[in-house]
Amino acid sequence: MNILEDKEKAFFEDHILYADHTFFDLFDYRLMAKQQASFREPYSAILSTETAAKYFGEGDAVGKMIAVSNMFGTTTYTIRDVVAEMTANSSVSFDVLLSNEKLFSSEMSYFGIQDWGAFETYILVNETANATSLEHTLNSLVRKQRPEGEETIVLQSLKDIHLYSGYIEGGRDKVVVVVIFSAIAVTILMLAWFNSINLNTAKAFERTKEIGIKKVFGSPKKLLISQFLIESLLTNVLALVAALILHQFLSDIIADITGVKMAVLESWDSLLILAFVAVVALGSSVASLIPGFLMSGFPTTSIVAGKAKYSGHGKLLRRVLVGLQFGVSAVLILVTLTIDRQI
């Protein structure tokens, strides 16, 4: 636990990182005062925008002094700059970044942290470098310097750290969480599609007179199917917009419940946009084509006479879809209750 304080305020801070003076040579955080080089000064601190506002309000934090009290004692640092923006999905994020001279002072030898094993270490290599060969060279160097040691250095690409660094952080890979949440999302989405098929089909039978009149006046089958498709497309687009708005307002509440921050609107890219388009297109097609083909396939005389009814296969399809909805919903509820009790 870290206690961070200035002359007037003190708070417990959990999200503090120590780094050496080369930190900003590797990571391109945008600093408000653009004083990356100043972090090379001993006992320097960089604050996030939120942390700076918490201690100094609207005033300028740069040049102020803060005291950090933790297991290493109490140390005073000078604030060199403030991070303008911290990306929510970054693997290297912090509220406070401190230079690490304190950790390598003589009085810290008791904690045994004066080697690479105590830190996550990032290195910059040439684009042509062979990771396997470099790993072998580094481990050979370690064996030479510490023949009694059992440490093994493993190199991992920076792009893989966010999802596949469980062995570094002492837990499971984050990709497991991504897979679980994705499976739940797909399951709920499929339930919504099943429900939409049932509702659209039932609603279509309430529109038999409208469809019958259109067929009497010569509307082709393609036009009737297109009508159902366009209506479903508009509904899905409106649902997507509503979902994004709700996400914007409820994301913090969801993060408190699940412990996972889902910053969808902060990471727009071509893949995400393509996924939204695919979901809307597939959902619109699934929810409209079945009732569209069903209603356009009835003879005009049957529709006008009000004799359009489900066939045996149609009734079976509805029963299967309804059964799947209730079955999968029950499984999701049981899994949620089980996980909640285990937590």
Side-chain angles (χ1 to χ4, degrees):
M1 183 66 70
N2 304 279
I3 300 177
L4 193 69
E5 58 182 314
D6 67 349
K7 294 180 180 180
E8 299 179 356
K9 300 178 182 179
F11 296 95
F12 288 103
E13 301 287 353
D14 290 327
H15 206 186
I16 291 182
L17 297 183
Y18 285 91
D20 68 14
H21 64 275
T22 63
F23 182 84
F24 291 104
D25 294 339
L26 288 178
F27 301 105
D28 57 350
Y29 289 93
R30 189 164 62 89
L31 302 183
M32 297 183 70
K34 300 181 180 180
Q35 296 295 320
Q36 288 90 338
S38 64
F39 192 67
R40 294 178 176 273
E41 298 294 327
Y43 297 98
S44 296
I46 304 290
L47 305 184
S48 67
T49 306
E50 294 78 9
T51 304
K54 182 165 63 175
Y55 287 92
F56 304 103
E58 298 296 328
D60 188 6
V62 177
K64 303 289 179 61
M65 309 291 287
I66 54 171
V68 178
S69 300
N70 52 27
M71 62 185 294
F72 306 126
T74 300
T75 309
T76 301
Y77 293 85
T78 302
I79 300 172
R80 303 295 181 182
D81 214 324
V82 176
V83 177
E85 183 180 5
M86 189 75 68
T87 306
N89 60 356
S90 173
S91 297
V92 186
S93 59
F94 54 85
D95 291 328
V96 182
L97 181 69
L98 303 175
S99 57
N100 64 357
E101 297 86 4
K102 174 75 173 183
L103 305 185
F104 291 93
S105 58
S106 58
E107 64 266 26
M108 291 296 104
S109 58
Y110 168 80
F111 295 98
I113 57 175
Q114 283 80 10
D115 58 39
W116 280 12
F119 302 93
E120 295 176 14
T121 302
Y122 297 85
I123 61 174
L124 183 64
V125 301
N126 294 327
E127 294 182 2
T128 57
N130 184 289
T132 303
S133 176
L134 182 57
E135 259 186 23
H136 178 75
T137 302
L138 291 173
N139 281 296
S140 297
L141 180 61
V142 171
R143 294 285 81 79
K144 181 178 179 180
Q145 298 297 324
R146 301 181 63 175
E148 75 287 353
E150 298 181 355
E151 300 90 344
T152 300
I153 294 176
V154 178
L155 297 181
Q156 185 178 38
S157 174
L158 184 63
K159 66 180 181 180
D160 296 331
I161 289 176
H162 188 65
L163 294 179
Y164 301 97
S165 59
Y167 69 95
I168 296 176
E169 299 173 350
R172 64 168 56 93
D173 289 339
K174 292 179 181 178
V175 70
V176 175
V177 178
V178 173
V179 170
I180 291 173
F181 275 90
S182 298
I184 293 173
V186 170
T187 302
I188 294 174
L189 188 61
M190 291 182 67
L191 286 176
W193 284 346
F194 292 160
N195 189 53
S196 182
I197 292 172
N198 283 328
L199 290 176
N200 285 355
T201 304
K203 197 71 177 175
F205 276 92
E206 296 177 3
R207 301 169 60 183
T208 51
K209 290 184 179 180
E210 171 197 338
I211 296 171
I213 292 173
K214 288 182 177 179
K215 295 192 73 171
V216 167
F217 281 95
S219 293
K221 186 175 182 179
K222 290 182 179 180
L223 184 61
L224 292 173
I225 294 174
S226 299
Q227 177 186 342
F228 281 98
L229 182 60
I230 292 171
E231 290 173 355
S232 182
L233 180 62
L234 290 175
T235 302
N236 276 267
V237 170
L238 290 175
L240 175 62
V241 172
L244 293 176
I245 293 174
L246 286 173
H247 171 272
Q248 187 71 7
F249 287 102
L250 301 178
S251 58
D252 290 338
I253 297 175
I254 296 173
D256 291 338
I257 296 173
T258 63
V260 179
K261 178 70 173 178
M262 298 183 183
V264 176
L265 300 182
E266 296 180 14
S267 56
W268 286 99
D269 56 32
S270 57
L271 187 60
L272 181 62
I273 295 174
L274 182 62
F276 282 150
V277 172
V279 168
V280 169
L282 185 58
S284 302
S285 301
V286 168
S288 64
L289 293 183
I290 291 178
F293 277 106
L294 181 66
M295 297 306 297
S296 62
F298 282 119
T300 304
T301 54
S302 298
I303 296 178
V304 174
K307 296 181 179 181
K309 297 181 180 180
Y310 283 111
S311 65
H313 293 298
K315 290 180 180 180
L316 178 61
L317 177 62
R318 285 201 67 189
R319 289 171 182 171
V320 170
L321 291 177
V322 172
L324 280 173
Q325 280 182 261
F326 281 102
V328 175
S329 298
V331 171
L332 282 176
I333 292 171
L334 289 174
V335 170
T336 302
L337 292 174
T338 301
I339 295 175
D340 181 65
R341 291 185 178 183
Q342 289 180 345
I343 294 175

